[in-house]
Amino acid sequence: SSYVSVKFQNTLMTDTFVTAVEVTDNQVFWSGLIASSFARTVVSPLEAQKTLQQLEDDPAATPAFAAEFLSDPLVYWAGNFTGIMRIPVYNIVQTSVINNLLARGFATNLATCIAGMVATVASECLETVKIRRLTDARKATPTYRHNLHALLNVGWREKIGALFRGAIPALIAHPLQFLVRKFAHKFFLKFLSTFWAWALSGILASTLILPLETIRRHMEADEGKKKRGMLATCRHITNCKGPFGLWDGWMWNSLKVIPYHYVQLWTYDALQNMALTENGRFLMAALNNKKAQ
């Protein structure tokens, strides 16, 4: 069914999967939520190292991953819970918007892109809290006691707008990532399996929008002392680290893509198999490149 296919696409950010037979919308939503949360938790250290490298004005001051991880591993999961909480908020908003747009006659791709942009803005406050928690955890005396304290602290001391400071670069990046990934995936499918086409298209798309993400992270981490806009933040980064500083963290970003997607899809498949009806069955085309019968 097209409706389940759209829900499946929204949950896992892909349009490459076969539709499960007799899988309810609730099963799609909860399986996707749990799978995405588990995969995000697994690759959280790689994501954290990428973010720390993006935010450091002096490249030499970026902590060595192995030494830092062994000395205080929990730092690399700081803010992960907030990132997990963002997933249902993002998906609920995206699903509501896309269903409304489809009912109004919008094309599926256009509706998905617009819905993703709306969901990105709606969940940006949680993304800001995640970044603040990550950077705060490395301080000798952390400012925030927990996620809710960070949310209220930023919203009260720096005003509500501070929670959405990174929304503009995120809005610009989303349609670019959507289009690049879609066309790159179709290209890679000509000579690669579905999973590898999806993974490589993800690496390519994330590489192209990495400058916008770097700017976004700086704006989210800004504790109100500088309050730079998007262009001023870009100039600050290039002045400190040169133009290639906008691509800081590229290696860690690329390293996380394949394990993230593999864990996400493997978990989703396992959860769907646990929830099968008597006449239903599900095959994960991404890993075995087969069609559901």
Side-chain angles (χ1 to χ4, degrees), residues 85-158:
M85 291 300 296
R86 179 180 177 268
I87 296 173
V89 174
Y90 185 100
N91 285 343
I92 290 171
V93 172
Q94 187 186 39
T95 301
S96 300
V97 174
I98 197 173
N99 287 340
N100 184 276
L101 293 177
L102 289 175
R104 295 172 182 269
F106 281 68
T108 301
N109 288 333
L110 179 59
T112 302
C113 185
I114 295 174
M117 295 172 70
V118 174
T120 297
V121 174
S123 60
E124 173 62 19
C125 58
L126 294 174
E127 193 71 13
T128 299
V129 171
K130 183 190 80 172
I131 299 302
R132 294 294 186 92
R133 288 280 286 154
L134 173 62
T135 56
D136 188 64
R138 299 183 67 242
K139 297 178 181 177
T141 306
T143 304
Y144 311 122
R145 296 191 296 271
H146 45 72
N147 293 311
L148 181 59
H149 181 240
L151 179 67
L152 297 176
N153 189 290
V154 175
W156 178 260
R157 293 191 175 185
E158 303 175 37

Side-chain angles (χ1 to χ4, degrees), residues 28 47 58 62 69 71 83 107 110 126 141 191 203 205 226 229 231 239 260 265 271 288 290:
V28 171
E47 172 70 18
D58 181 6
T62 303
F69 185 80
S71 63
L110 179 59
L126 294 174
T141 306
F191 47 87
I203 292 175
K226 307 177 184 67
L231 293 179
N239 287 339
Y260 176 84
L265 301 177
L271 291 170
N288 58 24
K290 295 179 181 178

Side-chain angles (χ1 to χ4, degrees), residues 204-223:
L204 177 61
S206 61
T207 298
L208 291 177
I209 68 158
L210 195 57
L212 288 167
E213 184 186 344
T214 301
I215 293 171
R216 177 188 182 186
R217 295 307 180 215
H218 274 262
M219 296 176 72
E220 290 169 339
D222 183 2
E223 297 182 358

Side-chain angles (χ1 to χ4, degrees), residues 38-108:
F38 180 56
R40 177 183 288 274
T41 302
V42 170
V43 302
S44 183
L46 298 176
E47 172 70 18
Q49 182 67 14
K50 178 197 76 171
T51 303
L52 293 174
Q53 190 169 336
Q54 287 175 314
L55 294 176
E56 190 59 64
D57 288 339
D58 181 6
T62 303
F65 178 74
E68 185 87 358
F69 185 80
L70 291 175
S71 63
D72 191 3
L74 292 181
V75 168
Y76 286 90
W77 276 275
N80 182 64
F81 181 75
T82 311
I84 290 174
M85 291 300 296
R86 179 180 177 268
I87 296 173
V89 174
Y90 185 100
N91 285 343
I92 290 171
V93 172
Q94 187 186 39
T95 301
S96 300
V97 174
I98 197 173
N99 287 340
N100 184 276
L101 293 177
L102 289 175
R104 295 172 182 269
F106 281 68
T108 301

